[in-house]
Amino acid sequence: MVKSIIYTLTALALCVGLFIGVEIYLGKQFDEFHTAVETLYKKVEDRTANREDGFAVREMWTEKKSKLHIFVPHNDISYIDYWLNEACGFIYCENYDLALGNLEVLKEISKNLPGGYNLKVENIF
């Protein structure tokens, strides 16, 4: 009886520790991506962004998403891919106004998406 209580509490503590670790990891990954998107946004706003700037952010996201597939549903990752690729296309065509709109969406997604995977009551039930 005492052993099973100890094992149950240990398993619960390990699960909570794992969830907290994942939350920290996701927060860090999306913070870095958010910073890159903000930098690109400022360059587009100044109309100094070029194809390589968009490519650098896309390359960074490709590296991050290969690891994020473990924790984040594929639909959410596809959603980011869509907006990022569209923004890069607009930057390539030098259509900065449309690129700004897409980057604004990406900034909000990268800021809010990790919150959906935090260890909170509303995310559990």
Side-chain angles (χ1 to χ4, degrees), residues 23-91:
E23 187 176 320
I24 291 169
Y25 175 75
L26 286 177
K28 180 182 176 204
Q29 297 304 309
F30 278 100
D31 281 347
E32 290 173 3
F33 178 65
H34 183 76
T35 302
V37 170
E38 279 187 329
T39 302
L40 182 60
Y41 184 89
K42 288 176 186 168
K43 283 187 169 190
V44 170
E45 205 172 34
D46 296 338
R47 299 185 182 278
T48 60
N50 58 34
R51 179 177 158 190
E52 287 78 27
D53 295 325
F55 182 74
V57 174
R58 193 178 346 180
E59 195 68 28
M60 174 192 175
W61 172 245
T62 300
E63 181 183 315
K64 288 191 178 307
K65 79 177 180 179
S66 67
K67 297 173 189 99
L68 290 174
H69 274 290
I70 299 168
F71 308 110
V72 178
H74 299 301
N75 289 342
D76 289 343
I77 290 176
S78 298
Y79 196 56
I80 293 172
D81 284 338
Y82 171 78
W83 288 102
L84 182 59
N85 288 328
E86 195 168 273
C88 289
F90 288 136
I91 292 169

Side-chain angles (χ1 to χ4, degrees), residues 11-25 71 117 119:
L12 185 62
L14 288 173
C15 286
V16 169
L18 177 68
F19 292 141
I20 291 171
V22 168
E23 187 176 320
I24 291 169
Y25 175 75
F71 308 110
Y117 304 102
L119 188 60

